[in-house]
């Protein structure tokens, strides 16, 4: 598939996701005198600024038995409000009345973790019917389920991270604790805040009470004292939020990080489509990709003649000083080691990258990883060269890194290569992926062959010998199923990446991300565990 066809497909699907519950559901929201989640965010953030959305693809093609849950019925992302960078979490009431599905919880928790790591103030736009009861067993009790949201509210408050909530619709049952645990609480007329609605109260204790008397904005403003501001409608509420945001501390990078004047890259971002093919087997020099991302003439390659399958170097992106670790995607004949193949991590590359990451930690340089990797090199020479030792060293320093890490998956992200180049398990502040990216424990051909062998062996144990036609059909079935699960949209739907981005936008997205991740630094010494040498 060409880049244009792939981008057209991604854009079309993205636009469909952004419609939430669809035109009819949007009209129902408007008929109540309320804006949709995305309309609220558009009015909340500063004009002519961008919104870095997190988890747009969450729950994509999931929950089909329940009619689907586009974007997991919640909109999350980083925006600028009154000149301050904030995390915004907004329930989408056009989807099952904003009910929480399992992926809704996972996405909300991810937004909170990003806010916590980067000390971003949080604004919650609450409009939710609470837990989606048919799936309550997957949402309620565990340490990464619904209750963890309230735990995070409390921890962030204790750490001095400002949190403001606006109830702009329903806020019922246990979900009522989220806004009340925030520092400031606004509520619009016609909204409801209560642990149990009128019907449940009547069923439980026989008391008949109106929704307004039970948990309306006037009651909470005048009698319970739960809310701080009562506003007549969404527009007034948003203006109140913007006014309160002016009292937040002003943005700025922590003193440990360096930013100089921004310089345009030497090549436009659109050149990436000429350099990189959607076919991940095509070779290219990753340095040409870096020319489209980093400030012109800022890249200083580290150990350029050694460990060439990982290109490491110091650079600036939008003026921010960073360290870059990028998979090389073309082969090289190396002195003393012979031919090395692109996309593979060799022991010399792992050793180099480990030392480079340590140096970046010494100098407070945020790390940017460009992943296009099939994994570590295997075989006798590699094992005797200490590939496991070198890989363990790389994982050790990566795990203990104190500087912010950003990851961009530009192609394949397979097996332990995903781990070594800062996959999701290694706490990158944000993970982005190009639409051509692939996520899996191994490449499609190898995996399909292995899975086919397993299926054939199972058939033979059952006394069935497959014929040629059955083998062909089985191979096609296994390959198609594996290809589907390696598609980056499958990974994004499960929260393995934060956003699918267009390659030409990579530089702008990284600048936006760097503006967030450099706001705070835990000024602790850089230490590692025991490492083999």
């Amino acid at each position: 598939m060409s880049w244009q066809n792939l981008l057209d497909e991604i854009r079309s699907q993205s636009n469909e996701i952004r419609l939430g519950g669809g035109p009819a559901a949007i009209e129902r929201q408007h008929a109540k005198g309320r804006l949709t989640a995305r309309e609220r965010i558009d009015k909340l953030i500063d004009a002519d600024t961008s919104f870095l959305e997190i988890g747009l693809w969450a729950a994509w093609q999931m929950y089909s038995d329940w009619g689907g849950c586009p974007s997991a019925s919640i909109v999350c992302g980083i925006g600028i409000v009154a000149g301050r960078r904030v995390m915004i979490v907004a329930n989408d009431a056009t989807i099952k009345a904003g009910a929480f599905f399992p992926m809704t919880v996972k996405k909300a928790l991810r937004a909170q973790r990003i806010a916590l790591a980067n000390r971003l103030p949080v604004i919650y736009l609450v409009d939710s019917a609470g837990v989606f009861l048919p799936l309550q067993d997957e949402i309620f009790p565990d340490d990464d389920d619904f209750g963890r949201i309230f735990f995070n509210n409390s921890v962030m408050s204790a750490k001095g991270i400002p949190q403001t909530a606006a109830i702009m619709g329903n806020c019922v049952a246990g979900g009522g604790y989220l806004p009340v645990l925030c520092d400031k609480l606004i509520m619009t007329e016609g909204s409801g805040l209560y642990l149990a609605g009128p019907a449940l109260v009547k069923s439980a204790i026989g008391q008949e009470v109106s929704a307004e008397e039970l948990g309306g904005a006037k009651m909470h403003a005048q009698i319970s004292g739960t809310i701080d501001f009562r506003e007549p409608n969404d527009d007034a509420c948003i203006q109140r939020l913007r006014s309160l945001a002016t009292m937040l501390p002003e943005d700025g990078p922590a003193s440990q990080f360096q930013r100089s004047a921004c310089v345009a890259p030497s090549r436009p971002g659109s050149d990436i489509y000429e350099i990189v093919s959607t076919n991940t087997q095509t070779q290219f020099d990753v340095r040409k990709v870096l020319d489209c991302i980093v400030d012109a003439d800022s890249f200083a390659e580290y150990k350029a003649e050694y460990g060439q399958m990982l290109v490491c170097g110091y650079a600036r992106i939008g003026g921010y000083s960073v360290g870059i670790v990028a998979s090389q995607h073309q082969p090289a004949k190396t002195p003393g080691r012979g031919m090395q193949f692109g996309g593979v991590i060799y022991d010399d590359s792992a050793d180099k990258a480990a030392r480079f990451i340590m140096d970046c930690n010494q100098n407070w340089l945020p790390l940017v990883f460009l992943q296009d990797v099939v994994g570590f090199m295997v075989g006798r020479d590699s094992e005797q060269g200490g590939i496991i030792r070198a890989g363990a060293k790389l994982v050790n320093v990566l795990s203990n890194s104190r500087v912010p890490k950003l990851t961009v998956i530009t192609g394949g992200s397979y097996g332990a290569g995903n781990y070594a180049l800062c996959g999701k398990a290694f706490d990158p502040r944000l993970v982005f992926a190009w639409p051509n990216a692939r996520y899996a424990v191994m490449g499609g051909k190898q995996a399909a062959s292995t899975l086919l062998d397993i299926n054939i062996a199972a058939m033979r144990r059952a006394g069935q010998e497959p014929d040629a036609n059955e083998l062909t059909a089985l191979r096609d079935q296994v390959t198609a199923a594996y290809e589907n699960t390696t598609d980056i949209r499958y990974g994004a739907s499960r929260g393995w990446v934060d956003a699918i981005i267009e390659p030409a936008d990579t530089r702008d997205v990284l600048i936006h991300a760097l503006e967030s991740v450099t706001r705070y630094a835990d000024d602790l010494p850089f230490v590692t565990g025991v490492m083999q040498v």
Side-chain angles (χ1 to χ4, degrees):
M1 183 183 291
S2 70
W3 271 115
Q4 191 59 57
N5 289 340
L6 180 57
L7 292 174
D8 286 345
E9 183 175 288
I10 291 288
R11 289 166 184 165
S12 175
Q13 291 172 344
S14 298
N15 290 335
E16 185 178 351
I17 292 169
R18 291 188 179 96
L19 285 175
I26 292 171
E27 284 305 309
R28 286 195 296 272
Q29 183 77 349
H30 289 165
K32 297 174 186 175
R34 296 173 185 166
L35 302 170
T36 66
R38 295 183 183 280
E39 289 168 343
R40 288 165 176 167
I41 291 171
D42 286 343
K43 289 197 171 191
L44 177 62
I45 63 175
D46 294 356
D48 300 321
T49 64
S50 59
F51 179 63
L52 181 58
E53 186 164 355
I54 305 301
L56 171 68
W57 292 82
W60 181 68
Q61 294 190 341
M62 296 173 67
Y63 310 121
S64 56
D65 290 346
W66 305 103
C69 185
S71 210
S73 74
I74 195 169
V75 183
C76 304
I78 301 170
I80 299 173
V81 179
R84 279 76 170 173
R85 204 165 297 272
V86 301
M87 175 64 74
I88 301 171
V89 179
N91 300 113
D92 188 344
T94 69
I95 304 165
K96 304 291 191 298
F100 275 72
F101 283 67
M103 278 306 304
T104 316
V105 175
K106 186 170 184 177
K107 183 172 170 179
L109 290 175
R110 176 61 177 159
Q112 286 184 321
R113 291 188 189 106
I114 292 170
L116 181 58
N118 300 297
R119 297 304 193 266
L120 285 166
V122 186
I123 295 176
Y124 301 94
L125 306 181
V126 183
D127 192 352
S128 170
V131 167
F132 185 65
L133 287 177
L135 297 176
Q136 63 84 26
D137 60 314
E138 300 178 42
I139 300 170
F140 167 63
D142 214 339
D143 61 358
D144 58 351
D145 283 344
F146 198 66
R148 193 71 180 190
I149 295 173
F150 312 143
F151 177 93
N152 289 341
N153 286 140
S154 304
V155 169
M156 286 194 284
S157 182
K159 290 184 179 293
I161 301 172
Q163 297 174 91
T164 304
I167 300 172
M168 308 173 79
N170 290 316
C171 185
V172 300
Y177 287 108
L178 182 151
V180 179
L181 284 165
C182 291
D183 306 331
K184 299 179 183 67
L185 178 52
I186 309 165
M187 190 171 178
T188 60
E189 295 286 359
S191 296
L193 170 63
Y194 32 67
L195 292 179
L200 184 55
V201 168
K202 183 176 180 180
S203 173
I205 64 173
Q207 184 181 72
E208 292 192 15
V209 60
S210 70
E212 178 60 38
E213 185 182 5
L214 189 65
K218 184 176 181 180
M219 188 282 289
H220 282 303
Q222 297 182 355
I223 300 174
S224 78
T226 302
I227 66 172
D228 304 312
F229 300 93
R230 175 162 63 113
E231 300 297 342
N233 52 43
D234 280 14
D235 286 333
C237 182
I238 290 167
Q239 287 306 310
R240 176 70 69 181
L241 286 167
R242 288 186 52 79
S243 174
L244 293 172
T246 64
M247 303 175 195
L248 294 172
E250 292 190 5
D251 270 356
S255 61
Q256 291 89 340
F257 303 113
Q258 303 175 41
R259 187 177 194 184
S260 53
C262 177
V263 176
S266 60
R267 300 181 66 166
S270 58
D271 278 7
I272 291 176
Y273 302 124
E274 300 172 9
I275 300 165
V276 183
S277 168
T278 56
N279 179 358
T280 56
Q281 302 301 313
T282 304
Q283 298 174 6
F284 62 90
D285 187 346
V286 75
R287 297 177 188 87
K288 294 180 180 179
V289 175
L290 294 178
D291 287 342
C292 304
I293 296 173
V294 306
D295 295 9
D297 301 321
S298 71
F299 184 65
E301 189 166 353
Y302 176 87
K303 293 184 185 291
E305 299 173 85
Y306 181 77
Q308 295 182 46
M309 293 306 101
L310 287 180
V311 173
C312 302
Y314 311 104
R316 287 189 297 276
I317 299 178
Y320 284 100
S321 296
V322 300
I324 294 174
V325 180
S327 306
Q328 180 57 285
H329 214 268
Q330 66 179 13
K333 189 172 183 180
T334 60
R337 291 177 178 267
M339 183 65 69
Q340 292 188 342
F341 299 98
V344 180
I345 300 177
Y346 292 80
D347 58 284
D348 55 347
S349 295
D351 274 331
K352 176 176 81 171
R355 179 175 169 82
F356 178 72
I357 290 170
M358 294 175 75
D359 183 73
C360 289
N361 272 274
Q362 288 288 85
N363 292 285
W364 282 103
L365 294 176
L367 286 159
V368 176
F369 295 85
L370 300 186
Q371 274 200 23
D372 189 352
V373 58
V374 297
F376 284 87
M377 189 59 186
V378 297
R380 181 193 60 202
D381 293 345
S382 184
E383 298 291 359
Q384 291 181 358
I387 187 65
I388 296 177
R389 169 187 50 77
K393 184 189 301 182
L394 177 54
V395 165
N396 193 320
V397 300
L398 184 64
S399 302
N400 290 292
S401 179
R402 67 177 177 174
V403 297
K405 304 182 291 272
L406 299 171
T407 301
V408 184
I409 302 167
T410 63
S413 180
Y414 295 115
N418 168 277
Y419 300 159
L421 296 183
C422 202
K424 184 74 177 294
F426 291 84
D427 283 348
R429 299 288 180 90
L430 291 160
V431 186
F432 306 108
W434 290 356
N436 62 313
R438 293 274 167 178
Y439 243 13
V441 73
M442 65 175 70
K445 290 183 179 179
Q446 304 95 310
S449 177
T450 301
L451 290 168
L452 182 64
D453 290 343
I454 292 170
N455 280 315
I456 292 171
M459 293 172 71
R460 286 172 175 164
R461 284 196 301 272
Q464 180 184 356
E465 185 66 33
D467 61 26
N469 289 334
E470 286 177 319
L471 282 175
T472 299
L474 187 59
R475 178 178 287 107
D476 291 344
Q477 179 184 346
V478 168
T479 301
Y482 196 82
E483 287 298 312
N484 178 63
T485 59
T486 62
D487 190 299
I488 197 60
R489 287 166 284 194
Y490 182 93
S493 72
R494 286 149 180 82
W496 302 343
V497 299
D498 294 311
I500 298 175
I501 64 172
E502 297 191 11
D505 296 335
T506 303
R507 173 181 164 87
D508 290 340
V509 169
L510 285 174
I511 292 172
H512 201 324
L514 285 164
E515 288 170 341
S516 296
V517 302
T518 56
R519 297 178 74 260
Y520 172 80
D522 250 332
D523 198 2
L524 299 172
F526 172 58
V527 295
T528 65
V530 176
M531 292 192 295
Q532 294 205 22
V533 295

